[in-house]
Amino acid sequence: MKSGFVAVVGRPNVGKSTLVNALVGQKVSITSTRPQTTRNVIRGAVTGYENGEPSYQIVLVDTPGLHKPRTELGNRLNTLVYGTLADSDAVAFMVDATQPIGPGDRLIGERLKESGAKVVLVVNKVDKAGGDDVLEQLVKASGWDFDAYVPVSALRGTNLEPLVDELVARLPEGPLYFPADVKSDQPEEILIAEIVREKFLERLRDELPHSLAVVVDDIDATDDLVTVSARVIVERSSQKGIVIGKGGTLLRDAGTEARHELESLLGNKVHLDLRVTVQRDWQQSPSLLDRLGFS
């Protein structure tokens, strides 16, 4: 059978996490209109069948958006992406059909071309773009001379089967890396922390979303209740008040939305205990980044 690892790369906010979730068939990576939503390397498995037996498995690796880093965290995220590329059998390089191909896209494209990787160029968001815009992106991208070019809408699930076919065609013969019924190897506490962080992203303005991290300290499960204790970490005392909101409204609303999603995910009632703490300049501190899991 064909199996292997496919890195999903592109600049921030092109829809990488949305595509991974759509291909896997369930949420394994959080999404947001905020750039640089994904901070960890997240793996999800797509397993195909023939005559009731697995015939292929694509292990999708959702990566942070490549960008010009301004913090130590940014440097580490870019390093994660390049390390993932080195370990992948193929690459899905995503560009946005609604945006011109810019310097960030060209930098990634040139890096991929130099690497000799097997690359499928994915033009995403065709549901929001005109036919001429999509054609223009395909024509411009053809200059990289990649293996294949596929227009899709990750949000609407349009044209995903041809994309899967192109990716599978570029994988080697190999084993099942995940059991056939497993969709992701993401630890439960990481997924819970990311779901909580997702609920804050759209409620916060300016640079604050990038200054926010969530760490799950404890999960205590009984037959009828899962109690989750988590910290919402910011860099400034002034940010703490913003995250809590007037009268605690923002913290309450984000926590309630997260709790509802966690109850669906875990299949049980959830008590979510959120505390907001300040870790000054955590994005610039190597030791704090190590403690937060950004090693």
Side-chain angles (χ1 to χ4, degrees):
M1 63 175 285
K2 292 288 195 77
S3 67
F5 291 79
V6 174
V8 182
V9 304
R11 56 186 173 81
N13 214 29
V14 296
K16 297 182 294 297
S17 296
T18 302
L19 179 66
V20 169
N21 291 338
L23 290 172
V24 171
Q26 70 179 48
K27 186 173 185 176
V28 296
S29 187
I30 67 170
T31 61
S32 169
T33 57
R34 297 283 185 178
Q36 298 170 40
T37 297
T38 300
R39 286 177 173 170
N40 300 295
V41 170
I42 296 164
R43 296 189 293 191
V46 182
T47 306
Y49 294 85
E50 186 174 325
N51 299 323
E53 295 294 328
S55 58
Y56 68 81
Q57 186 174 81
I58 308 170
V59 180
L60 295 164
V61 186
D62 186 12
T63 64
L66 282 164
H67 61 288
K68 185 176 182 180
R70 294 183 294 172
T71 64
E72 175 62 19
L73 174 60
N75 286 326
R76 292 189 180 205
L77 296 183
N78 278 357
T79 299
L80 275 176
V81 178
Y82 289 126
T84 301
L85 289 175
D87 294 334
S88 296
D89 298 292
V91 177
F93 171 28
M94 296 185 70
V95 299
D96 186 339
T98 68
Q99 301 289 332
I101 289 179
D105 298 305
R106 287 193 288 271
L107 177 64
I108 299 168
E110 289 161 8
R111 180 74 176 256
L112 290 173
K113 197 63 190 172
E114 291 169 0
S115 74
K118 299 175 182 177
V119 179
V120 176
L121 193 286
V122 184
V123 179
N124 189 31
K125 305 185 183 180
V126 298
D127 55 309
K128 298 179 179 179
D132 290 343
D133 294 327
V134 175
L135 180 61
E136 182 179 353
Q137 296 291 67
L138 290 170
V139 169
K140 288 182 177 178
S142 66
W144 284 308
D145 195 26
F146 289 140
D147 294 72
Y149 301 80
V150 185
V152 305
S153 169
L155 184 64
R156 300 193 181 279
T158 305
N159 216 35
L160 297 186
E161 287 187 12
L163 174 59
V164 168
D165 291 342
E166 294 291 356
L167 294 175
V168 170
R170 282 154 186 85
L171 296 182
E173 295 291 323
L176 278 175
Y177 292 98
F178 283 58
D181 58 345
V182 172
K183 299 290 189 179
S184 177
D185 65 349
Q186 186 168 204
E188 188 175 72
E189 63 269 21
I190 298 298
L191 181 56
I192 289 172
E194 287 292 271
I195 287 173
V196 172
R197 185 168 68 92
E198 179 186 54
K199 307 314 174 190
F200 284 94
L201 292 179
E202 293 300 336
R203 291 176 165 86
L204 298 171
R205 302 186 304 275
D206 303 324
E207 291 301 311
L208 184 50
H210 303 301
S211 301
L212 185 142
V214 177
V215 175
V216 171
D217 293 316
D218 186 59
I219 303 173
D220 183 26
T222 64
D223 289 341
D224 55 1
L225 182 68
V226 178
T227 301
V228 177
S229 300
R231 283 174 290 142
V232 181
I233 300 171
V234 293
E235 293 187 303
R236 304 279 187 276
S237 296
S238 59
Q239 294 172 342
K240 182 175 180 178
I242 296 171
V243 169
I244 293 172
K246 187 176 181 179
T249 54
L250 196 151
L251 182 64
R252 181 196 65 214
D253 292 347
T256 298
E257 188 178 345
R259 178 173 56 81
H260 288 159
E261 183 167 335
L262 291 175
E263 287 178 341
S264 296
L265 173 71
L266 301 174
N268 209 339
K269 288 289 186 182
V270 171
H271 172 69
L272 181 59
D273 178 22
L274 293 179
R275 293 173 293 116
V276 183
T277 63
V278 178
Q279 295 280 351
R280 190 168 180 82
D281 295 328
W282 69 264
Q283 292 186 84
Q284 299 284 13
S285 168
S287 61
L288 277 177
L289 289 171
D290 288 342
R291 284 166 54 192
L292 290 171
F294 300 109
S295 57

